Amino acid sequence: RTADILAYTEMEVLTVTARDFLRFVEGTEIARTLRLVAESRLHEGWPLMNENNLLAKLSVKQKTQLIPYMRQRTIPSERLLFRAGDRVRCLYLIKEGQVRLTRDNGHESRGYRGALVGRVKSDGERHTVSAITESTTVVYVISMSDLKIFFRENPGTHVRFLAAERGQITETL
């Protein structure tokens, strides 16, 4: 890649070849993060976040921080993701397919591409709905332990997630 740089003040510039940079970060958390970000962009993780009303509001920096925690999984049709009363363990971002959410009273709703399914409450919280895939479904899974790390670095985002969850009838954000 090339770039034009315009300096408004005097500055010193250091250039590093891609090969030297990769050797420098090899074996570090930076290398792992860069690899995960690149893979996620290849697999639509980045554009998919922009299809979700809540995730679209994240800054580029926040999306870059969240992407390494997103693990893509393919889940067969009619697979239970969680049951009402189960402990909250992760959050799902639907890439393909659909998920049926059912309350104990029988009320149903569905989550499709771009929907977040789950809860972002604190430890010990339990799901209030059951979630079952209705077709082969591709999701990004974010564990609650990883989400806690992300929220610790972005406390305002945690507040926005909690506020959005309170405004929902189902566990689909």
Side-chain angles (χ1 to χ4, degrees):
R1 290 188 160 184
T2 62
D4 294 326
I5 300 172
L6 177 61
Y8 291 102
T9 61
E10 187 177 322
M11 60 185 278
E12 291 183 34
V13 178
L14 171 68
T15 61
V16 178
T17 67
R19 193 166 127 201
D20 288 341
F21 175 76
L22 292 174
R23 261 198 310 242
F24 177 72
V25 299
E26 186 177 3
T28 68
E29 186 65 21
I30 293 170
R32 185 182 84 77
T33 300
L34 290 174
R35 192 171 30 262
L36 290 170
V37 168
E39 287 172 8
S40 179
R41 287 186 176 187
L42 288 174
H43 293 49
E44 295 188 62
W46 193 275
L48 183 61
M49 284 196 287
N50 289 328
E51 294 180 34
N52 178 277
N53 290 335
L54 193 58
L55 297 176
K57 295 175 185 170
L58 297 178
S59 68
V60 170
K61 178 184 177 190
Q62 290 171 323
K63 288 176 186 171
T64 302
Q65 289 174 320
L66 188 58
I67 281 178
Y69 301 128
M70 298 167 57
R71 304 286 186 262
Q72 185 172 304
R73 300 282 187 264
T74 300
I75 303 170
S77 181
E78 298 302 317
R79 184 66 52 95
L80 180 71
L81 299 179
F82 52 82
R83 180 176 285 117
D86 286 353
R87 292 187 73 159
V88 175
R89 299 189 190 288
C90 58
L91 190 62
Y92 300 89
L93 175 60
I94 301 173
K95 178 182 174 185
E96 297 172 13
Q98 70 184 46
V99 174
R100 180 178 65 243
L101 297 129
T102 309
R103 290 192 178 279
D104 287 339
N105 66 7
H107 176 76
E108 289 186 356
S109 62
R110 283 171 178 67
Y112 302 94
R113 180 178 169 86
L116 277 173
V117 178
R119 302 188 74 183
V120 293
K121 297 286 188 183
S122 59
D123 280 339
E125 289 290 331
R126 300 197 178 271
H127 289 287
T128 59
V129 300
S130 295
I132 301 171
T133 58
E134 290 194 316
S135 60
T136 298
T137 303
V138 180
V139 296
Y140 284 101
V141 181
I142 309 167
S143 74
M144 292 316 298
S145 58
D146 287 339
L147 205 53
K148 278 185 189 177
I149 295 167
F150 174 75
F151 286 147
R152 213 174 15 250
E153 296 169 359
N154 300 280
T157 301
H158 189 203
V159 171
R160 281 199 308 272
F161 270 62
L162 291 172
E165 185 174 294
R166 275 195 306 273
Q168 299 298 316
I169 295 172
T170 67
E171 289 192 27
T172 303
L173 298 175

